[in-house]
Amino acid sequence: METSNEPSGRLAAFGNQLIEVHLWLREELARLREAVDVYLDGGGDRPRDLRAHCLTFCSAVDRHHTGEDGGAFPVLAERFPELRPVLEELTRDHHMVADILRRLEHLLRDLEPVAAEAQRVRAELDGLAALLESHFVYEEKRIVSALNSLTAPGWDASRPGFLLTGITSG
């Protein structure tokens, strides 16, 4: 990803970063789904390792959405009032994702390789994957250009993990 810092602090990279975060989350979800399938089919990671993988993924999604809800979205709503309905819809999606993540965490807490549990875990992961994919595509189409117009004082492009926090309008 190419980024440029101008003397004014202007940086056209927040939207690009959002896409990169979404790509990473998609990859992590695919790995988690594969690990769950392997385990529930009788192989793979021990339940504790699988739970840790799930909790790590769930935490990453939660941090990403919390950063958007508390950082990027209020700034976008202020700067681009026409995006408010979009941002409200995205926030509703965040709540639905959080509900699925809670159910997954509960299911994986007592995970046993039995058919009924396997189907419940797989169904939750399938629902999460479908919701996140729809959410990510919609979000990328609707807010990337607005994000790319924002600035961040003191931006350090070398800091990985800067998940849309510290954004200001400008």
Side-chain angles (χ1 to χ4, degrees):
M1 172 179 72
E2 183 176 318
T3 61
S4 64
N5 284 317
E6 297 174 9
S8 67
R10 167 94 170 77
L11 177 77
F14 289 121
N16 298 340
Q17 182 186 36
L18 176 75
I19 292 169
E20 287 181 10
V21 169
H22 286 175
L23 288 172
W24 181 82
L25 289 170
R26 286 175 173 113
E27 291 168 3
E28 288 302 306
L29 179 56
R31 281 196 264 295
L32 177 60
R33 291 175 81 188
E34 182 178 329
V36 166
D37 283 344
V38 169
Y39 172 74
L40 293 175
D41 289 337
D45 292 338
R46 297 175 305 174
R48 185 172 47 163
D49 296 334
L50 191 55
R51 280 191 294 273
H53 187 175
C54 181
L55 290 174
T56 300
F57 173 77
C58 293
S59 178
V61 171
D62 182 61
R63 278 191 320 272
H64 172 64
H65 286 168
T66 299
E68 288 179 334
D69 292 342
F73 288 3
V75 171
L76 287 173
E78 179 183 320
R79 178 111 182 258
F80 304 98
E82 69 277 10
L83 287 178
R84 285 184 181 145
V86 170
L87 299 170
E88 289 168 3
E89 185 173 346
L90 292 170
T91 299
R92 280 191 298 274
D93 284 356
H94 292 174
H95 293 292
M96 289 189 296
V97 167
D99 289 342
I100 293 173
L101 294 177
R102 277 190 291 279
R103 288 193 303 268
L104 270 172
E105 288 174 14
H106 178 75
L107 283 170
L108 291 172
R109 186 177 317 137
D110 301 315
L111 186 64
E112 294 295 328
V114 296
E117 287 298 306
Q119 291 307 317
R120 289 176 58 199
V121 170
R122 286 181 177 132
E124 291 292 352
L125 284 172
D126 289 346
L128 178 63
L131 177 56
L132 282 177
E133 185 59 29
S134 171
H135 173 80
F136 290 163
V137 168
Y138 180 70
E139 188 172 51
E140 290 164 5
K141 284 182 180 179
R142 298 302 303 264
I143 70 171
V144 165
S145 62
L147 281 170
N148 280 342
S149 71
L150 300 177
T151 61
W155 165 262
D156 179 358
S158 67
R159 271 184 33 206
F162 183 79
L163 297 177
L164 304 172
T165 57
I167 295 174
T168 61
S169 59

